[in-house]
């Protein structure tokens, strides 16, 4: 594979260690030959780093430009030991056990003294347990805890559907079916979303996500040490749940009038935050009142949402998703026999239930015109068969040279349709159930996306989710790689080129990330 590696992620060259007592570092004589420093730019900035490097060299310290095996002391500013370890991990560098991780305060003291000063605890960067650089004796007792340092990015964690932290999952305090099975922090995050409080939303959703990824159960506060994304506010709540089995804050949200109303209103297909806000302000608290109110105007989407409400709130099972998949394949292949059709979304991540079924469709060797026609033909076919309950087709606004979006939640530009299909029950005893009135079908939400063949890897990655996983992939690309990623493309800002990919594996490789399987993306 011809993989374009990021500048630092390739194999490192071993620098030959120069022999002799007198070594030259820059233009200065090296006076303290057994110390080899490297100063980390991250969070320090290049100007300050260059200044400190010059200063240290002028005082007779050997300072390396790059982190090589020769380096004995790594100096960082505003970084914890774990931050440094994570940086090393991102760069694909195995830290030697003798590498000292030091705060810049040590270097400053050395500069003042004109010679190396003693390293004390206040200088040494603490690596919390669970890190490869400092095997913790405690960690050995609980091997599941120790394996690797946990990244702050969901795209560097493997989050399967096996959750070890059900204690934080709201089942007992749950009053409604919609909140069941969600963890305390997802509820808090959702409440912030309803209040459009973006910062708190991010705090809680990241905490929720990291808890889901843990391969061990948190049973005491000590277990939260070294776990990223758990700030003081979050830790307080964890402590309360450990002690009392529930959180007063979460309970308050679950009983909150506004939260309950928004939860109810947004459970209708086509109703978002704006409409919920309006109905809430108008004093509505139940769907029945809203439905029967003659003064309210509903969109076509909301009308369908009310009409098929019961079916749509009862989740789609995997068996139903498979039946829909058969329908989709039959219909698409009727017009485009060579099409590739992948089920994406939650079902691709291994979920057993979902709120809809998502598909990505693509085909090599078709013209743009043919490509544009497929979804129209498929919808027509279902319409004629009486299977189409609702459809909204959005035409493509895709442009080949458009840079990936900067927004983490940006919508994509592919042609797609949001549908409600009539799925007939596949019961053989259909005729046996003689009651004529019994409904023999279920309304199912289906999303179809059509993408150009050469973008299929990006589209597949983008439409597989989870949403939180996607957000962190983009955040990671931007902040750690100076790249831009969205559902269409990956752009390297340093090299000013688009990075092509034929598979998801190649995209992860471009980003210098270990490959995460779809079923490990349930962040
Ligand atoms: N997605 C997207 N653009 C949209 C809608 C969705 O890129 N306009 C992506 C999101 O990254 C999301 C995935 O497609 O993770 C699937 O979306 P959705 O069906 O909403 O969520 P699922 O993860 O499939 O969960 P559910 O089981 O509830 O459907
Ligand atoms: Mn879905
Ligand atoms: Mn969807």
């Amino acid at each position: 594979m011809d993989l374009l590696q990021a500048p630092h992620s390739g194999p490192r060259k071993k620098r030959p260690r120069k022999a002799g007592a007198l070594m030259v570092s820059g233009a200065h004589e090296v006076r303290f030959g057994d110390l080899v420093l490297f100063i980390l730019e991250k969070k320090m900035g290049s100007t300050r780093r260059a200044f400190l490097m010059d200063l240290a060299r002028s005082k007779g310290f050997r300072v390396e430009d790059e982190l090589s095996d020769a380096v004995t002391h790594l100096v960082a500013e505003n970084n914890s030991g774990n931050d440094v370890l994570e940086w090393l991990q991102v760069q694909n560098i195995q830290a030697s056990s003798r590498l000292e991780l030091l705060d810049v305060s040590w270097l400053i003291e050395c500069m003042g003294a004109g010679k190396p000063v003693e390293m004390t605890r206040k200088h040494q960067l603490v690596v919390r347990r669970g890190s490869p650089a400092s095997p913790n004796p405690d960690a050995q007792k609980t091997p599941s805890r120790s394996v690797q340092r946990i990244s702050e990015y969901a795209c560097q964690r493997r989050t399967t559907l096996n959750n070890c932290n059900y204690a934080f999952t709201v089942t007992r305090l749950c009053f409604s079916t919609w909140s069941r099975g969600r963890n305390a922090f997802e509820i808090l995050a959702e409440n912030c979303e309803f209040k459009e409080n973006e910062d708190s939303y991010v705090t809680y959703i990241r905490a929720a996500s990291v808890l889901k990824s843990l391969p061990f159960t948190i049973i005491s506060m000590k277990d939260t040490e070294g776990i990223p994304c758990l700030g003081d506010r979050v830790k307080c709540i964890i402590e309360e749940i450990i002690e009392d089995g529930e959180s007063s804050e979460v309970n308050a949200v679950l009983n909150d009038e506004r939260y309950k109303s928004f939860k109810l209103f947004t459970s209708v297909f086509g109703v978002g935050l704006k409409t919920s806000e309006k109905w809430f302000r108008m004093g509505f608290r139940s769907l029945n009142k809203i439905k029967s109110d003659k003064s309210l105007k509903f969109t076509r989407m909301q009308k369908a949402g009310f009409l098929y409400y019961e079916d749509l709130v009862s989740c789609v099972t995997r068996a139903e998703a498979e039946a829909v998949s058969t329908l989709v394949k039959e219909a698409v292949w009727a017009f485009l026999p060579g099409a590739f059709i992948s089920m994406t979304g939650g079902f691709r991540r291994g979920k057993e239930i979902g709120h809809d079924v998502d598909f990505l469709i693509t085909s090599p060797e078709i013209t743009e015109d043919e490509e544009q026609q497929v979804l129209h033909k498929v919808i027509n076919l279902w319409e004629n068969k009486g299977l189409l309950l609702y459809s909204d087709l959005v035409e493509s606004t895709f442009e080949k040279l458009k840079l990936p979006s900067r927004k983490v939640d940006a919508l994509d530009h592919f042609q797609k349709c949001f549908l409600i299909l009539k799925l007939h029950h596949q019961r053989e005893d259909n005729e046996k159930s003689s009651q004529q009135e019994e409904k023999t079908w279920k309304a199912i939400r289906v999303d179809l996306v059509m993408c150009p063949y050469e973008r299929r890897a990006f589209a597949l990655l983008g439409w597989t989710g989870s949403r939180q996983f996607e957000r962190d992939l983009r955040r990671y690309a931007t902040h750690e790689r100076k790249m831009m990623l969205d559902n269409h493309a990956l752009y390297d800002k340093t090299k000013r080129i688009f990075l092509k990919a034929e598979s998801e594996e190649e995209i992860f490789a471009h980003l210098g990330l270990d490959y995460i399987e779809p079923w490990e993306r349930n962040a």
Side-chain angles (χ1 to χ4, degrees):
M1 256 190 300
D2 175 30
L3 299 180
L4 290 160
Q5 291 277 338
H8 294 291
S9 60
R12 281 193 310 137
K13 286 195 204 99
K14 225 175 189 169
R15 277 192 175 207
R17 231 183 155 159
K18 287 174 207 152
L22 194 136
M23 290 174 285
V24 174
S25 178
H28 304 280
E29 185 184 322
V30 172
R31 292 168 58 211
F32 315 107
D34 41 6
L35 257 67
V36 184
L37 312 190
F38 171 78
I39 304 177
L40 187 65
E41 187 179 312
K42 189 181 172 217
K43 294 191 184 167
M44 177 185 281
S46 56
T47 317
R48 180 161 161 81
R49 175 176 184 255
F51 166 76
L52 286 173
M53 281 170 69
D54 280 349
L55 184 66
R57 282 171 180 159
S58 74
K59 303 263 179 190
F61 286 78
R62 179 174 160 195
V63 187
E64 295 287 292
D65 288 312
E66 285 175 45
L67 184 56
S68 69
D69 290 331
V71 170
T72 56
H73 294 59
L74 186 152
V75 176
E77 186 163 40
N78 294 325
N79 281 275
S80 70
N82 291 80
D83 291 341
V84 174
L85 277 191
E86 188 181 309
W87 180 84
L88 291 168
Q89 219 171 51
V90 168
Q91 313 297 312
N92 227 346
I93 296 170
Q94 192 70 42
S96 122
S97 56
R98 56 184 189 91
L99 180 67
E100 294 282 352
L101 306 184
L102 295 157
D103 184 67
V104 71
S105 59
W106 172 77
L107 184 66
I108 307 263
E109 282 177 40
C110 293
M111 297 301 97
K115 60 175 192 209
V117 299
E118 201 194 338
M119 291 171 289
T120 64
R121 288 184 76 169
K122 71 170 189 211
H123 301 124
Q124 280 157 335
L125 296 178
V126 180
V127 173
R128 298 266 178 78
R129 63 167 164 167
S131 67
S134 81
N136 185 306
D138 282 357
Q140 278 157 17
K141 285 181 220 143
T142 51
S144 59
R145 262 234 63 147
S146 64
V147 199
Q148 247 181 1
R149 146 163 175 82
I150 301 158
S151 171
E152 64 163 299
Y153 294 104
C155 56
Q156 287 189 304
R157 305 190 293 250
R158 297 178 194 276
T159 313
T160 62
L161 293 163
N162 297 324
N163 187 342
C164 293
N165 286 285
Y166 278 111
F168 304 99
T169 301
V170 185
T171 37
R172 282 193 300 152
L173 13 129
C174 166
F175 72 99
S176 78
T177 47
W178 307 300
S179 305
R180 198 165 289 151
R182 320 193 59 201
N183 84 36
F185 297 103
E186 285 175 288
I187 307 274
L188 295 175
E190 193 174 36
N191 186 47
C192 298
E193 204 181 357
F194 293 162
K195 291 180 166 174
E196 289 176 65
N197 184 345
E198 177 65 22
D199 290 349
S200 298
Y201 170 78
V202 167
T203 300
Y204 289 134
I205 206 72
R206 288 191 187 152
S209 178
V210 81
L211 285 179
K212 285 198 232 170
S213 78
L214 299 179
F216 55 87
T217 306
I218 291 179
I219 46 175
S220 75
M221 288 314 283
K222 207 165 177 337
D223 295 322
T224 63
E225 283 172 26
I227 301 175
C229 316
L230 305 180
D232 291 344
R233 223 156 102 206
V234 167
K235 280 194 175 158
C236 270
I237 296 166
I238 292 180
E239 192 160 22
E240 207 189 340
I241 296 177
I242 291 173
E243 282 171 12
D244 308 336
E246 56 186 25
S247 145
S248 50
E249 203 170 326
V250 177
N251 287 348
V253 168
L254 289 171
N255 289 313
D256 179 66
E257 196 76 2
R258 183 186 161 94
Y259 175 81
K260 285 197 286 186
S261 305
F262 269 60
K263 199 70 200 152
L264 182 65
F265 301 162
T266 55
S267 73
V268 180
F269 174 60
V271 177
L273 297 186
K274 251 201 244 149
T275 309
S276 298
E277 180 80 52
K278 190 177 90 189
W279 291 347
F280 184 73
R281 281 180 191 230
M282 289 171 83
F284 289 109
R285 296 294 180 266
S286 85
L287 292 180
N288 275 336
K289 286 263 164 61
I290 294 171
K291 267 197 292 191
S292 56
D293 193 297
K294 294 277 179 291
S295 71
L296 290 174
K297 283 213 169 62
F298 303 122
T299 63
R300 199 169 61 87
M301 202 177 183
Q302 290 161 355
K303 281 180 195 159
F306 280 119
L307 201 52
Y308 307 111
Y309 183 77
E310 292 305 328
D311 279 359
L312 297 184
V313 287
S314 84
C315 289
V316 183
T317 64
R318 178 165 286 278
E320 287 164 343
E322 292 300 339
V324 173
S325 174
T326 305
L327 272 182
V328 171
K329 285 175 179 167
E330 270 172 15
V332 174
W333 286 340
F335 307 108
L336 195 58
F340 291 96
I341 302 167
S342 319
M343 198 190 285
T344 59
F347 287 108
R348 182 161 185 252
R349 302 197 306 273
K351 278 173 62 177
E352 284 303 319
I353 54 166
H355 94 283
D356 67 355
V357 202
D358 309 282
F359 295 91
L360 179 69
I361 303 163
T362 188
S363 174
E365 294 159 4
I366 54 166
T367 64
E368 273 179 36
D369 254 12
E370 287 168 327
E371 185 183 294
Q372 193 269 339
Q373 283 304 311
V374 179
L375 289 185
H376 289 274
K377 289 178 183 170
V378 166
I379 287 173
N380 262 327
L381 178 82
W382 284 332
E383 172 100 77
N384 293 336
K385 286 187 169 185
L387 298 180
L388 197 69
L389 300 174
Y390 170 88
S391 94
D392 176 21
L393 194 145
V394 183
E395 290 297 348
S396 166
T397 52
F398 175 72
E399 291 165 36
K400 283 200 173 86
L401 295 176
K402 201 181 288 182
L403 285 185
S405 170
R406 285 172 199 283
K407 293 188 211 134
V408 287
D409 277 322
L411 295 178
D412 70 37
H413 301 282
F414 298 130
Q415 187 194 38
K416 52 185 147 319
C417 54
F418 307 103
L419 309 170
I420 301 177
L421 289 188
K422 187 186 256 191
L423 182 70
H424 287 286
H425 297 314
Q426 289 165 315
R427 267 194 288 149
E428 274 134 40
D429 56 350
N430 248 354
E431 65 266 45
K432 271 192 240 161
S433 65
S434 51
Q435 291 144 299
Q436 291 294 4
E437 307 92 86
E438 199 188 324
K439 187 162 144 272
T440 59
W441 52 271
K442 180 177 169 183
I444 309 256
R445 271 274 300 114
V446 177
D447 288 341
L448 303 183
V449 184
M450 187 85 201
C451 79
Y453 190 67
E454 78 278 6
R455 305 304 171 114
R456 68 197 181 284
F458 298 102
L460 183 62
L461 180 60
W463 276 84
T464 297
S466 70
R467 220 160 267 261
Q468 194 51 25
F469 189 88
E470 302 298 330
R471 285 188 190 126
D472 276 9
L473 260 181
R474 291 175 189 191
R475 205 159 58 90
Y476 180 87
T478 308
H479 297 299
E480 305 295 334
R481 294 295 180 193
K482 292 198 171 67
M483 292 184 186
M484 295 159 83
L485 172 74
D486 68 5
N487 288 8
H488 319 92
L490 177 63
Y491 182 78
D492 185 323
K493 292 211 286 187
T494 317
K495 295 180 183 155
R496 298 191 181 172
I497 50 169
F498 282 96
L499 302 175
K500 291 191 163 52
E502 300 288 316
S503 66
E504 290 178 312
E505 281 89 341
E506 287 181 37
I507 303 173
F508 280 86
H510 282 318
L511 291 166
L513 286 170
D514 285 343
Y515 183 62
I516 307 287
E517 298 284 356
W519 56 89
E520 297 170 325
R521 299 181 204 160
N522 286 289

